[in-house]
Each structure stands twice: as structure tokens, then as C-alpha cells.
């Protein structure tokens, strides 16, 4: 399954919830790229120059991260792809990568949501430095002020690409480069749309229903 949606649509949150419920592997290119940056690998250094300003990393870099991850993992796994493909070229590459492994795209789920709502969501995001758990200054504060619910750490950070002007760049790029891949899946009857303004658990339920349909 592919999850497609603008930054702030909740793709990552949904992918995490579905990973647990479905026993599928959550593959987030954003997370994998942030891991590369943290490890200060050559690929991470290249990626950082794009990501910090809200631009997409080059297609070959995104494709490499996906292929490397799949090659290391269980060949029989079901995947939830979060943040890939993000361009038409990546969508075509994905078909090739899956084809070589005897796999195919089951469903493409679009989480749609208005830009105004997204801006509000994105500007309040912060995360635990230690375990990566995501929070929001209005929608999801830690239960105990300044303490991570998951791991107890007291160190939090705003992702460098969640700074205000970078958010506008990312939304613009989503409409320009990523939204045009929707017809690529729609034409094959694989696209399903979900309202991203509903509650987190309602969105999860809708996606589960869609997937139950695929069997
Ligand atoms: P969000 O969905 O909130 O933008 P992600 O964690 O999915 O967050 O992605 C963060 C950043 O990582 C993107 O803005 C982009 O720079 C880079 N990135 C992630 N996936 C891709 C991809 N498939 N192609 C190019 N760049 C990517
Ligand atoms: Zn934590």
C-alpha cells in the first residue's frame, strides 16, 4: 500500500498505527533519510542540503533508500510506503522495483486535506529527541508537561523542515510534484481517497476498510 498526502496530513501517524494492526512493514523515506543524516553518511549529507530547505531529495537518492531497505528486509513482507513515491519518476521506478521482486502496488491511499489546516498543524509540531515520538503544541501535548510519554526524555526538537517558510515550500512542492502522481494510480483503479480532517482513529478505520477490500 502507498500512502499519499501533503506534509502534515498524518501519513506517518497512520502508517505507524497500520503497521501494528496489519503486521506490515512501515517504510518511511523521510525517516530513513533522517537516519542517514543522523549517521552523517555521504547520502545523508547530500539529503540534508535538500531537506533542510523543504525541497525533495533527488529521485535516485529516494529510490536508493527504498531499494536498500527492501533488500535488507523480509522478501515476503507487505509494505506500507509512506512518503514514496513523491514524483512521477519515483512512481515508475517503484513499479520496476516491485516488479523485479514479484510484487505490485495493492492500493494507493490519498489522505486529502486543505492547505490552511495543514499550515496550522505543521507549525506546532515537535518531537522527542531520544525516541522520535511526535507531539503538537495544540493537538498532542505530552501528558506531563515537557516529559516524553513514550521514553521519559525531556529533550524536544522542532524538525528543521517544520520551520514556517519551509512549510510553504513543502506544500508548494506537494501540489507541483506529488499530486500529479494521483492520476497515475487512479487510471489503474488503485486510488482511494480518505478525508484527512477526520480524527486519527477514524482515518485509520477507513484505511483498514479499504485494505480489507483488497484481501
Ligand atoms: P512530510 O510528509 O511531513 O513532508 P517526510 O518525513 O515524509 O515528511 O519527508 C521529509 C522530507 O524528506 C521531505 O520534505 C523531502 O525533503 C524528503 N523526502 C522524503 N521522501 C522523499 C522522496 N520520496 N523523494 C524526495 N524527497 C523525499
Ligand atoms: Zn521519547
Amino acid at each position: 500500500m502507498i500512502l499519499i498526502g501533503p506534509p502534515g496530513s498524518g501519513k506517518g501517524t497512520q502508517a505507524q498505527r497500520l503497521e501494528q494492526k496489519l503486521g506490515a512493514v512501515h517504510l518511511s523515506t523521510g525517516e530513513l533519510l533522517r537516519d542517514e543524516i543522523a549517521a552523517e553518511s555521504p547520502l545523508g549529507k547530500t539529503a540534508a542540503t535538500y531537506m533542510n530547505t523543504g525541497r525533495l531529495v533527488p529521485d535516485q537518492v529516494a529510490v536508493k533508500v527504498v531499494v536498500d531497505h527492501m533488500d535488507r528486509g523480509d522478501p515476503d513482507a507487505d509494505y506500507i510506503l509512506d512518503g514514496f513515491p513523491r514524483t512521477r519518476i519515483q512512481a515508475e521506478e517503484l513499479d520496476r522495483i516491485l516488479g523485479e521482486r514479484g510484487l505490485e502496488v495493492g492500493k494507493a491511499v490519498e489522505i486529502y486535506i486543505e492547505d490552511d489546516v495543514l499550515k496550522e498543524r505543521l507549525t506546532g509540531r515537535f518531537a522527542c529527541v531520544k525516541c522520535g515520538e511526535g507531539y503538537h503544541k495544540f493537538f498532542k501535548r505530552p501528558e506531563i508537561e515537557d516529559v516524553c510519554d513514550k521514553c521519559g526524555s525531556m529533550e524536544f526538537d522542532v524538525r528543521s523542515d517544520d520551520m514556517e517558510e519551509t512549510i510553504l515550500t513543502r506544500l508548494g512542492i506537494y501540489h507541483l510534484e506529488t499530486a500529479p502522481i494521483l492520476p497515475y494510480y487512479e487510471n489503474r483503479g488503485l486510488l482511494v481517497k480518505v478525508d484527512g480532517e477526520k480524527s486519527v482513529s477514524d482515518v485509520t478505520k477507513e484505511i483498514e476498510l479499504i485494505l480489507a477490500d483488497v484481501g
Side-chain angles (χ1 to χ4, degrees):
M1 173 185 66
I2 303 170
L3 279 176
I4 305 171
S9 59
K11 291 189 304 290
T13 306
Q14 293 301 334
Q16 253 170 26
R17 292 168 62 92
L18 292 163
E19 173 172 48
Q20 288 171 2
K21 294 194 177 208
L22 306 172
V25 176
H26 173 200
L27 196 164
S28 157
T29 43
E31 254 171 47
L32 292 172
L33 289 165
R34 282 188 288 277
D35 289 346
E36 295 281 344
I37 292 174
E40 297 181 12
S41 70
L43 191 149
K45 283 179 186 156
T46 307
T49 60
Y50 294 89
M51 287 170 73
N52 288 337
T53 53
R55 289 175 299 153
L56 297 181
V57 306
D59 288 327
Q60 320 85 272
V61 173
V63 168
K64 181 169 174 13
V65 158
V66 171
V67 169
D68 285 354
H69 195 266
M70 284 191 173
D71 283 347
R72 273 187 320 237
D74 172 3
D76 295 323
D78 285 326
Y79 285 96
I80 301 168
L81 295 181
D82 157 19
F84 187 90
R86 257 181 157 99
T87 65
R88 175 65 191 237
I89 290 175
Q90 291 179 17
E92 286 166 5
E93 281 294 295
L94 176 63
D95 285 335
R96 191 183 58 76
I97 295 164
L98 293 178
E100 282 172 356
R101 290 163 176 75
L103 304 169
E104 61 183 4
V105 175
K107 279 276 178 239
V109 176
E110 177 195 359
I111 306 182
Y112 65 87
I113 188 160
E114 298 291 334
D115 278 4
D116 289 348
V117 181
L118 291 173
K119 282 178 211 158
E120 197 171 288
R121 284 190 182 181
L122 285 162
T123 43
R125 296 210 294 202
F126 61 97
C128 172
V129 171
K130 208 167 151 208
C131 76
E133 180 71 1
Y135 295 96
H136 193 283
K137 70 177 173 203
F138 302 130
F139 308 124
K140 189 190 165 199
R141 305 185 67 96
E143 268 170 46
I144 302 166
E145 191 72 21
D146 297 330
V147 180
C148 176
D149 296 345
K150 276 256 171 87
C151 78
S153 165
M154 297 183 69
E155 239 189 298
F156 299 92
D157 216 349
V158 175
R159 257 167 57 179
S160 59
D161 60 351
D162 274 349
M163 301 301 174
E164 202 144 356
E165 66 282 11
T166 311
I167 287 168
L168 295 180
T169 310
R170 285 158 69 209
L171 285 179
I173 289 177
Y174 177 77
H175 293 297
L176 199 70
E177 305 223 41
T178 305
I181 70 175
L182 296 169
Y184 185 77
Y185 296 107
E186 191 161 35
N187 291 337
R188 284 149 68 185
L190 296 176
L191 186 71
V192 193
K193 296 170 194 252
V194 174
D195 180 358
E197 282 185 49
K198 290 194 176 158
S199 73
V200 169
S201 60
D202 281 351
V203 174
T204 310
K205 272 185 221 144
E206 267 194 51
I207 299 176
E208 281 184 293
L209 282 177
I210 291 164
L211 293 178
D213 218 35
V214 185

